[in-house]
Amino acid sequence: MAPRKQQEIFDATLWMVAEKGYDGLTVEGVAERSGVNKTTIYRWWPSKAALLGAALVESDVLGFETPDTGSFRGDLVALVEQIVRLLTEPPGSDIAVTALAAAVRHPELDARRFFADRFARERVIFERAARRGELSASADPLLIVDLLAGAVWIRAVFRGLPLPEGYAEKAVSVLLDGL
Amino acid sequence: MAPRKQQEIFDATLWMVAEKGYDGLTVEGVAERSGVNKTTIYRWWPSKAALLGAALVESDVLGFETPDTGSFRGDLVALVEQIVRLLTEPPGSDIAVTALAAAVRHPELDARRFFADRFARERVIFERAARRGELSASADPLLIVDLLAGAVWIRAVFRGLPLPEGYAEKAVSVLLDGL
């Protein structure tokens, strides 16, 4: 399939999830919106869960740029700010929050792939910090990413609380400087 | 309603969510299992979301004991271990993960109340630590709880990775000792 057509199918999938929720997402609806035959979509992705899982990783909409600010602290703050935007700024946040919550009950949706793909790019922050001597050899990058991303998820999604000015700096400071 | 009857209704609600997911939860099913008339349930809780929200907070099944180990570090480690059990040991984990994920799309379910109720009890850990001089005045208890609980959620639920031996100690050490 042409990459541009594929991107249109992914866009239609993510738009439909943001609008109608996971239960409202249908391959028929995606086919209609993207002008692609339903059977063509099924040939590439065997279920709506598989389609949404692929769209999450491959669409430009939730694109992730590895921050490169020149310091470990700056990179982590920029990382948290990206996660805050991902989980609080529509329409991206409607897509991300709905799809990730749905993945809990629909393993075919494969949120693991989304997280693994992101982590492959987040990891670069830690490799650079280690080369600059800003990170001890015993530091666990996956744990650090999970602490920061998890705090944003709990506060923004589960508690429904706003993320105050300076939140990213404060969260990163707890990790870098200790309590 | 008699507290014991109410507890039976909550038990039936949580059992049904764990078995059938949020979409499979019905007030009819809860009524049948708990031997209570459907209209009685609706008189107390206007929707299945409201019923599940109340059950999450008030049932004994997801009960939360504030740890009291004698040290701030010990209390935080025990807190993380409780969260790990809540999110990884069935049947409690099926209930908690399914209900919290469903709350994202069903605000009437009111996960905020579940988290606020837990935080009221978690807060005691920080008050004790402050009295013992183990916690600086600028520390933010809500941020600390969100970092720790969030890390467990991302790893166990979204990444589907096991929580290795010593995970709680390691996560707490990042916060208390810095990177």
Side-chain angles (χ1 to χ4, degrees):
Chain A
M1 190 180 293
R4 198 169 133 203
K5 194 79 240 169
Q6 189 165 307
Q7 198 60 236
E8 280 169 29
I9 293 172
F10 290 155
D11 286 351
T13 304
L14 298 178
W15 169 87
M16 202 169 176
V17 153
E19 284 282 302
K20 305 182 182 230
Y22 183 75
D23 293 333
L25 174 67
T26 61
V27 172
E28 287 75 6
V30 171
E32 200 174 312
R33 193 176 159 90
S34 58
V36 172
N37 201 294
K38 192 175 84 170
T39 52
T40 307
I41 297 181
Y42 275 120
R43 205 175 306 136
W44 286 70
W45 302 280
S47 65
K48 74 170 184 176
L51 175 59
L52 178 55
L56 276 184
V57 175
E58 290 170 42
S59 163
D60 304 333
V61 177
L62 303 180
F64 174 76
E65 291 284 325
T66 305
D68 190 5
T69 64
S71 77
F72 184 42
R73 186 179 298 261
D75 285 356
L76 288 182
V77 169
L79 174 66
V80 174
E81 284 168 347
Q82 274 202 47
I83 296 167
V84 168
R85 281 196 295 276
L86 179 71
L87 296 180
T88 64
E89 289 182 8
S93 59
D94 292 329
I95 296 167
V97 170
T98 303
L100 293 175
V104 168
R105 291 292 296 181
H106 303 277
E108 332 82 90
L109 207 156
D110 204 0
R112 298 174 190 200
R113 203 176 134 211
F114 173 74
F115 280 93
D117 176 74
R118 284 186 69 98
F119 184 61
R121 290 187 266 175
E122 291 157 345
R123 180 157 232 158
V124 176
I125 293 173
F126 298 89
E127 289 162 1
R128 273 200 239 107
R131 276 201 299 276
R132 285 189 300 244
E134 294 176 293
L135 185 69
S136 85
S138 66
D140 180 342
L142 190 63
L143 175 58
I144 295 165
V145 166
D146 286 354
L147 286 162
L148 293 170
V152 179
W153 176 272
I154 301 261
R155 183 175 179 99
V157 179
F158 285 151
R159 296 196 198 273
L161 291 176
L163 281 285
E165 184 82 24
Y167 180 84
E169 284 84 356
K170 210 171 146 190
V172 169
S173 166
V174 170
L175 267 58
L176 290 186
D177 310 323
L179 285 173
Chain B
M1 190 180 292
R4 198 170 133 204
K5 194 79 242 170
Q6 189 165 308
Q7 198 59 238
E8 280 169 30
I9 293 171
F10 289 154
D11 287 352
T13 304
L14 298 178
W15 170 87
M16 203 169 174
V17 154
E19 284 283 303
K20 303 182 182 227
Y22 183 74
D23 294 333
L25 173 66
T26 61
V27 171
E28 287 74 9
V30 171
E32 199 174 311
R33 193 176 160 90
S34 59
V36 171
N37 201 294
K38 193 175 82 172
T39 53
T40 308
I41 297 180
Y42 275 120
R43 207 175 306 136
W44 285 70
W45 302 280
S47 65
K48 75 170 184 176
L51 175 60
L52 178 56
L56 276 184
V57 174
E58 290 170 40
S59 163
D60 304 333
V61 176
L62 302 181
F64 174 77
E65 291 282 326
T66 306
D68 189 5
T69 65
S71 77
F72 184 44
R73 187 179 297 262
D75 286 356
L76 288 183
V77 169
L79 174 66
V80 174
E81 284 169 347
Q82 274 202 47
I83 296 167
V84 168
R85 282 196 295 277
L86 178 71
L87 296 180
T88 62
E89 290 182 7
S93 59
D94 292 329
I95 296 167
V97 171
T98 304
L100 293 176
V104 169
R105 290 292 295 182
H106 304 276
E108 337 77 92
L109 208 157
D110 204 1
R112 298 175 192 200
R113 204 176 133 211
F114 174 74
F115 279 92
D117 177 75
R118 283 187 71 97
F119 184 61
R121 291 187 266 177
E122 290 157 345
R123 180 156 231 158
V124 176
I125 293 173
F126 298 89
E127 290 161 359
R128 273 200 238 106
R131 277 200 299 276
R132 285 189 302 245
E134 291 178 294
L135 186 67
S136 84
S138 67
D140 180 342
L142 190 63
L143 175 59
I144 296 165
V145 167
D146 286 354
L147 286 162
L148 293 170
V152 179
W153 176 273
I154 301 260
R155 184 176 178 98
V157 179
F158 286 150
R159 294 197 199 273
L161 291 176
L163 281 285
E165 184 82 24
Y167 180 84
E169 285 83 357
K170 209 171 149 192
V172 169
S173 166
V174 171
L175 268 58
L176 291 185
D177 310 323
L179 284 173

